[in-house]
Amino acid sequence: MARTIDAVLVADATPMRIHISRAADAAANASAHDWGRATGLVAGNVVVAAVPGAVISKVSALRAASAIASETLYKPPVIHWVKENLNSTKAWKAYNDAATGAQAGLAPASARTMADGSVRLVKFDGVFEHYVVDRKWAIRDMPHARAQVLRQADVLAQHDIVGLWEVPTPIQRVKAFKLLKKTNVTNIGVKVMKP
């Protein structure tokens, strides 16, 4: 604080022609970074002078809220690992077993609370960070497929987590998007993962 006061007093005692000469030298030798900083300071001072303090505090609060919201996207899923009972030698089984975060012989499942209060597990193929993964070898718009989509979407919504379908081709990705749109499911994404 004392240094700042001393600098102001010295600057006050310095003749104006020296101030102008120093400013001209500073402007002539300024880098692009210096010009950007000076422009930002001037613009900021104009905004502070022209905009009421209440508006600035609200903008500041909104920025803080958006920063917090962007940091807390989703909580990690609560997963129960259950014994997988599907045995097959076909290509779709090998594809499902290779899902991101899969465990051999086990399937990740999440508890779904039904309307009558009972609890049932909904299985997926893998888990990665904040989402559960389900691999789909072929997408078919059939009653059992629509029922599975709705079960998965319901359990994801109940636990406030997101799902990801991994499909082997771009054609299957398009079919998956159509099925999700038809069933109004928005908490499941689709990604192509080649076998």
Side-chain angles (χ1 to χ4, degrees):
M1 184 70 148
R3 276 188 236 160
T4 304
I5 293 171
D6 288 342
V8 169
L9 291 174
V10 168
D12 191 38
T14 306
M16 184 53 81
R17 62 182 171 76
I18 293 177
H19 283 296
I20 293 172
S21 172
R22 287 180 183 164
D25 286 343
N29 298 319
S31 67
H33 175 73
D34 294 334
W35 278 108
R37 186 168 187 269
T39 305
L41 287 173
V42 170
N45 288 338
V46 168
V47 168
V48 169
V51 178
V55 173
I56 291 173
S57 66
K58 286 184 181 184
V59 169
S60 168
L62 287 173
R63 285 188 64 194
S66 68
I68 291 170
S70 67
E71 291 173 5
T72 56
L73 294 175
Y74 296 98
K75 57 187 174 185
V78 177
I79 296 298
H80 308 282
W81 289 92
V82 296
K83 186 172 171 53
E84 181 66 82
N85 55 8
L86 292 175
N87 292 320
S88 178
T89 57
K90 295 190 177 183
W92 65 265
K93 176 67 171 138
Y95 183 70
N96 285 2
D97 289 346
T100 306
Q103 292 185 15
L106 297 174
S110 196
R112 175 181 175 218
T113 305
M114 307 299 287
D116 63 0
S118 62
V119 176
R120 294 188 183 167
L121 292 177
V122 177
K123 292 181 182 179
F124 295 90
D125 293 320
V127 179
F128 183 71
E129 293 179 358
H130 62 274
Y131 55 88
V132 290
V133 177
D134 196 39
R135 283 214 167 168
K136 305 285 185 193
W137 184 252
I139 304 293
R140 290 185 175 76
D141 186 0
M142 311 257 310
H144 69 279
R146 289 190 296 272
Q148 183 188 34
V149 171
L150 295 175
R151 280 194 307 273
Q152 288 183 347
D154 187 34
V155 75
L156 294 171
Q158 286 180 12
H159 294 284
D160 195 26
I161 55 179
V162 292
L164 176 68
W165 282 359
E166 294 179 345
V167 295
T169 65
I171 292 170
Q172 294 302 319
R173 182 174 183 254
V174 170
K175 288 181 178 182
F177 279 130
K178 286 181 181 177
L179 180 59
L180 292 170
K181 183 176 181 179
K182 183 175 186 177
T183 54
N184 292 321
V185 171
T186 59
N187 57 355
I188 298 175
V190 183
K191 179 180 178 182
V192 174
M193 290 293 286
K194 296 190 184 280

